[in-house]
Structures are given as C-alpha cells and as structure tokens.
Amino acid sequence: MADTAAGAVTSVTAFAPGRVNLIGEHTDYNQGLALPFAIAEGVTVEAAAIEGDRIEVSALDLAERDTFEIATSAKVEGWRAFIRGIVAELRRAGVELVGTRLRISGNVPQGGGLSSSAALEVAAALALIAAADGECPKRVELAKLCSRVENEWVGAQTGLLDQLTSLYGEEDHALRIDFRSLEVTPVTLELRDHRLVMLDSGEQHSNAASGYNERRAECARACETLGIESLREATLDHLSQLPEPLDRRARHVITSNKRVNDAVEALRRNDFERLGGLIDESHASLRDDYEVSTPAVEATVERLKDSGALGARIMGGGFGGSVLGLFGPEGDPPDEALSVRPGVGARLLS
Ligand code: GLA
C-alpha cells in the first residue's frame, strides 16, 4: 500500500499517452512493421489505496462511476470493461492488488483513432500496480496484458501497436516496431519547419464495432490458404493464389511493410516530400486494398490535401476516426486540426 511515513494513505498518478501512426497500418496483427509515435495527449489515472477489496472508479470527464469487487469476473460494457479487464488481467498475471480508488481524466479525443483506449489501459495498469506497491511487469509484457483486455474484455481483436507505442514513446522519435520479434527501434523524427496534424473526420470509430475483426479474420484466411503462419511471410508472388478480396488484403500488408522501411529511410535523409508521398500511397492502399475508408474520411483527406498537405491518410483501425496530414512550411492546415509531435511514453508522475 502506498503509505506515507505517518501512515496516511497517499495517492499515485500515472499518465499514458495516445499515439499517432506515421505509417504501417493493420500490420501489427500480421507480424509486420509499423512506425508510430506517442503524443503529448493521453490519459491520467490517480490511484489511492482504500480499505476493503473494492475498486472504486470515477471517470471524471464522463461524470460516471463504477464500483466492483477486485475478484469479480463479471463482464460489462463501455469504458468500465477496460478497467475491470485490467484488474482481472493484472491479477491473472500474479500482481496482488489492493482496494483502490481511481480517478480518470484525459485529453485524447475518444473514438478519434488516437488510441484513447490503450492510454486508458496502460495508465490504469501503472496506477493500480503503484497503489499496491506491486512489481511492474516488463513493458512488453504489460503491452500484451493490456492488449488481452481489448481482445477478451472489450471484444476488439486488436494487435500490440497502441500499447507498445504508449509504453515505449520517446520525445522527438518515432518507433519502428517489428511485430515478429517485438523489437522497438527509436527513429529520429525532428519535424523542424514541418507539421503533423490530425483532423477528425467527424465519424466516431470503434474497433470492436467496426469491420476491424472481419479484416483480421480475412488475413487469417489468407494465411491458411497460403499455408503460412503470418502475412509477414507472404510475397507479391503469392497473390495469384488468393481469391478476391484476400489478395488485396495481403497486398496491403506486404506493401505496408515495405513503406515502413522506406519511411525510416526518408526520415534518415530528412526527406519530407518522400515521406508525404509514402503517406499518400498508404492511404490509397487502405482505401482500395484494405477497404477501411469511408466517405467522411475521404472528404477529410481531400480537405487536408486541398490545404497543401504533402501527404494525408486515414489512421488507426479505420472506418472513421482521424486523418493524419503532413505539412511543409507553405501548407496551411485547417484551424481545427490538432498538431501532434512525438512525446514521451507512459510513466508515473508521482
Ligand atoms: C487499431 C488497433 C491496432 C492496429 C491499428 C491498425 O489502432 O488497436 O492494434 O491494428 O488499429 O494499424
């Protein structure tokens, strides 16, 4: 229990950031590559140990609450599923939790594709462990644990992109993540006179409710047909063996992995024109091959391109959410666009 020397219960505060993915979408669950970064916006969870075996949660921005027994395994809907899932998964991993009061607040737009859910999972996990004076699992293990919450408690068959980024974020760096080896390599991302912005398409997205799980199942079917373990092993030569639309789904993954390496190279050379071109190619692939765009997203991409973006693309799970735009010094992004830059990863603030 996080007590002061005098015995009074103190509180601990954890923060976990949301993320932007520069390039490499729907590659994480295909053991591929991605190049995300953590952003300054995120979720803050304050935790204080309390008497008894309950978890009392206040979601301050929603003015909603939840109270449950630490040992409960009852499934619920909405934001409550994330917290109950984290508590259950931490216990399953052998972390001894104590009765805790949690206060949650955040500034990542929800459903905007900036990974407010991973930020919530990671911040809640760090706060609960600290309040119990528990030992924090390694970052990669914590990412897997948080991802299990999405998979088993929320019903979204998502990969590790969001959680690894939230945990490994570094200022002025994107992260090249290899989802086969789970190796995370920081890549310098100094924007100088360029800007990266997010523009909301106005269409809320939810991984659990969208076609996300269907895409994941299609990739699994493509692997089965090809007799391979993951699409990381697929090459363009394989495509003729796949029926429509599995051939296009696989092509998206294969070309995305290459685009990630090309983007790393472009960043090494500070070649933002090239990066913009790769971002545009990524959007075309997500729209035509992976089919996760929507009319509202297309209109948002067009708005960014009309404002002079060097590149613009749908980001995250797709089917709505936010659009990423890269602007050079002459570009003029819409006023309501949110400027984003690479920031530090999840941490205890106190
Ligand atoms: C969502 C999921 C991630 C990843 C992206 C698509 O953000 O949570 O695991 O699959 O979509 O790249």
Side-chain angles (χ1 to χ4, degrees), residues 61-304:
D61 305 326
L62 303 173
E64 288 179 4
R65 306 169 72 88
D66 190 22
T67 299
F68 57 95
E69 297 295 315
I70 293 179
T72 189
S73 55
K75 298 224 165 155
V76 290
E77 299 279 307
W79 66 268
R80 293 176 176 88
F82 290 96
I83 305 299
R84 291 192 183 207
I86 285 291
V87 167
E89 291 298 330
L90 283 172
R91 291 185 71 233
R92 197 157 104 176
V95 179
E96 275 188 38
L97 296 179
V98 297
T100 312
R101 183 178 305 128
L102 297 174
R103 289 158 60 88
I104 304 169
S105 59
N107 58 355
V108 198
Q110 275 178 47
L114 293 172
S115 195
S116 51
S117 48
L120 172 60
E121 292 147 22
V122 172
L126 291 181
L128 281 160
I129 296 168
D133 257 347
E135 197 182 322
C136 197
K138 289 208 171 82
R139 283 185 290 183
V140 82
E141 294 310 322
L142 192 56
K144 287 182 187 168
L145 185 150
C146 291
S147 172
R148 278 201 298 279
V149 172
E150 299 262 353
N151 299 169
E152 288 166 30
W153 292 78
V154 182
Q157 299 307 313
T158 51
L160 286 171
L161 173 76
D162 310 338
Q163 293 79 10
L164 284 176
T165 311
S166 186
L167 282 156
Y168 280 83
E170 281 190 24
E171 194 145 23
D172 291 328
H173 287 81
L175 306 169
R176 179 187 181 278
I177 306 181
D178 182 330
F179 291 96
R180 184 156 58 183
S181 61
L182 293 185
E183 191 182 350
V184 180
T185 313
V187 176
T188 304
L189 172 55
E190 279 171 1
L191 291 167
R192 300 164 190 222
D193 49 1
H194 285 66
R195 261 176 303 171
L196 282 164
V197 303
M198 298 302 312
L199 186 59
D200 192 355
S201 69
E203 199 168 2
Q204 282 255 328
H205 105 123
S206 138
N207 287 328
S210 71
Y212 185 98
N213 291 347
E214 187 189 322
R215 289 294 172 277
R216 189 161 179 163
E218 286 171 340
C219 291
R221 280 216 306 283
C223 288
E224 232 169 79
T225 312
L226 296 173
I228 54 178
E229 202 196 309
S230 81
L231 285 181
R232 179 69 176 271
E233 294 160 45
T235 65
L236 293 174
D237 292 336
H238 280 118
L239 298 184
S240 59
Q241 298 170 44
L242 291 171
E244 158 72 16
L246 302 189
D247 53 350
R248 285 185 292 122
R249 307 296 189 248
R251 183 167 60 196
H252 166 74
V253 176
I254 296 164
T255 58
S256 293
N257 289 340
K258 175 164 184 336
R259 276 190 291 273
V260 169
N261 284 334
D262 290 349
V264 168
E265 193 44 45
L267 284 181
R268 285 212 175 103
R269 287 185 277 109
N270 281 314
D271 187 347
F272 286 99
E273 291 283 335
R274 172 76 178 131
L275 183 62
L278 289 165
I279 289 175
D280 282 344
E281 280 175 33
S282 164
H283 181 70
S285 180
L286 286 159
R287 180 192 58 214
D288 303 333
D289 280 351
Y290 220 65
E291 291 182 289
V292 292
S293 190
T294 64
V297 167
E298 288 309 307
T300 313
V301 168
E302 214 162 292
R303 244 187 104 197
L304 287 172

Side-chain angles (χ1 to χ4, degrees), residues 199 300-310 327 330-334:
L199 186 59
T300 313
V301 168
E302 214 162 292
R303 244 187 104 197
L304 287 172
K305 292 297 286 182
D306 288 348
S307 329
L310 300 175
F327 285 82
E330 296 86 38
D332 185 20

